[in-house]
Structures are given as C-alpha cells and as structure tokens.
Amino acid sequence: MKKIKTQSDFFDKVFEVVAEIPIGKVTTYGAIAEACGIRSSARTVGWALNSAKNSYLPCHRVVNRFGALTGKIHFGNPQLMQDLLQGEGVKFDSEGNVILADHLWLPAKRNRFSKTKNL
DNA sequence: TGACTGACCAACA
DNA sequence: CTGTTGGCCAGTC
C-alpha cells in the first residue's frame, strides 16, 4: 500500500482528532499536529480547520497553546466562538482565554504536552 | 507559474 | 533570559 502523504492524509487526521474533542473540552493546534505526527505543522492544522469550519467539526474547541481563541476571527462571529464554548461549560479567564488547566483535552496520542502547558 | 502567506510551536543564538 | 528563525501543508495572489 503506497501511502502518499498528501493533502487528505494530514487534513483527515486533523478532522478526526477535532471531531473527537469532547463537549466542554478544548485542544491545541500543537496537540493536534502532534497527534498527526508532525508537531511542526501546527500552522497547517489551522488551515485544516479553515477548510473544516464549514463542516461539522467543532473548530471552536481548538485554541492555541495559550488558550486564546486565535481562530475566532475566521468564524465570522468572533463572539460566537466564545459563546459556544461557554455554552458547553468552558470557562474563560480575565484575558478571554480558555482555562486550559480545566478544559485542556489531549488527543489519544501523547500527553507530553502537559509539560509545556504549565506556564 | 512562482512565491507568500496563514487560526502555530519549538529550538537555537 | 529574550529574540529570531525554522518548519510543515495547502490555498491564494
């Protein structure tokens, strides 16, 4: 089986991971990229979501490493992203960032990120 | 067609 | 310790 590492391969993984994010939980781009096997392509993860934002994928549950809703801009309604998360029980701090300490969810892969999470 | 950007993260100087 | 660059993939100009 020739495994051609092309578009769908990476995107598909991102979609699967994002689709498995439980309610009231959030994950990070790096975590997804890590789960995909390429932590360096965290940027591309954002693009995957950009293409998936029109899909059923809960892109609003994907935040950056700081818990900031960096992708809210692409939602059309920046407030919608935070509203959705709050509606799921996600809490935000004074800076408007998701409290990863209580809502960070790592894809079934490596929990190595926990180390970097503790800022 | 070629090059740059883009919702990022981590390593190196 | 802080600043900068590198890297990955795909889409857009």
Side-chain angles (χ1 to χ4, degrees):
Chain A
M1 56 183 165
K2 44 175 121 188
K3 196 60 185 294
I4 307 174
K5 46 171 4 182
T6 47
Q7 40 198 27
S8 302
D9 189 49
F10 184 79
F11 272 46
D12 188 57
K13 288 180 181 177
V14 176
F15 298 150
E16 287 187 56
V17 174
V18 176
E20 291 185 46
I21 301 175
I23 306 293
K25 294 288 182 178
V26 296
T27 190
T28 65
Y29 299 98
I32 298 172
E34 225 342 85
C36 292
I38 321 172
R39 69 181 177 196
S40 307
S41 57
R43 295 163 62 164
T44 317
V45 175
W47 272 121
L49 297 177
N50 195 8
S51 297
K53 71 174 191 278
N54 292 326
S55 190
Y56 62 94
L57 296 177
C59 328
H60 58 273
R61 292 183 199 149
V62 184
V63 297
N64 69 351
R65 221 182 69 282
F66 301 96
L69 309 181
T70 41
K72 66 184 178 188
I73 309 168
H74 295 274
F75 269 74
N77 294 326
Q79 201 65 27
L80 177 64
M81 190 172 181
Q82 186 173 336
D83 187 59
L84 288 171
L85 291 172
Q86 289 180 339
E88 295 180 353
V90 178
K91 296 176 183 174
F92 294 78
D93 58 14
S94 302
E95 297 179 0
N97 299 335
V98 177
I99 301 176
L100 297 176
D102 293 335
H103 302 290
L104 177 61
W105 174 86
L106 278 305
K109 210 68 179 175
R110 303 176 175 178
N111 290 24
R112 251 178 149 186
F113 261 81
S114 302
K115 182 175 70 171
T116 323
K117 287 308 170 352
N118 196 10
L119 292 174

